[in-house]
Amino acid sequence: QVQLVESGGGFVQARGSLRLSCAASGRTFRTYTMGWFRQAPGKEREFVAAISWNGGTTNYADSVKGRFTISRDNAKNTAFLQMNSLKAEDTATYYCAANYYGLVDQYGYKNWGQGTQVTVSS
């Protein structure tokens, strides 16, 4: 098991930027594919991005391609989501998740953080 704690959410104006962090406990961080998901009020949780254990492979939802960048620092047990050109429709609670030796996609995540709120004002 890995424990995940997100940070970096907040309030930002449209076209602004935020960087989310996801700190993981334990010494096995590099064995996990890491993902970011989001859930807006009244909507289902949706996939945002995923990254392989070594950062060599990434995957993004069409809605964020070209604007968001997922990365990780295995030495610091931390994953990141850089969000640029934010839009009002990006407003949601953002969750990081870990998938043990998982594929770089939206399935199979069993470890979740508590979420961090991102609000984008238009």
Side-chain angles (χ1 to χ4, degrees):
Q1 285 279 8
V2 60
Q3 307 298 318
L4 305 173
V5 178
E6 302 96 334
S7 61
F11 183 91
V12 63
Q13 292 188 333
R15 296 178 297 279
S17 298
L18 280 175
R19 189 191 196 203
L20 305 183
S21 297
C22 174
S25 65
R27 297 177 290 179
T28 60
F29 179 69
R30 65 177 60 249
T31 63
Y32 289 86
T33 293
M34 296 300 297
W36 285 95
F37 294 76
R38 66 187 182 186
Q39 186 168 20
K43 295 186 177 181
E44 293 188 353
R45 185 172 60 197
E46 64 175 355
F47 170 76
V48 175
I51 188 167
S52 62
W53 70 275
N54 63 351
T57 302
T58 56
N59 188 9
Y60 296 93
D62 288 342
S63 59
V64 306
K65 279 182 182 176
R67 300 189 298 122
F68 290 12
T69 302
I70 189 171
S71 61
R72 64 190 296 162
D73 184 340
N74 286 346
K76 297 182 178 180
N77 282 10
T78 304
F80 305 96
L81 185 68
Q82 177 67 44
M83 305 185 295
N84 298 329
S85 302
L86 283 161
K87 306 175 181 179
E89 51 264 43
D90 294 318
T91 294
T93 301
Y94 283 72
Y95 299 89
C96 73
N99 188 3
Y100 186 65
Y101 282 120
L103 297 177
V104 188
D105 60 19
Q106 58 184 304
Y107 304 106
Y109 293 84
K110 297 183 178 179
N111 301 276
W112 294 84
Q114 83 290 348
T116 186
Q117 178 67 36
V118 172
T119 303
V120 183
S121 171
S122 58

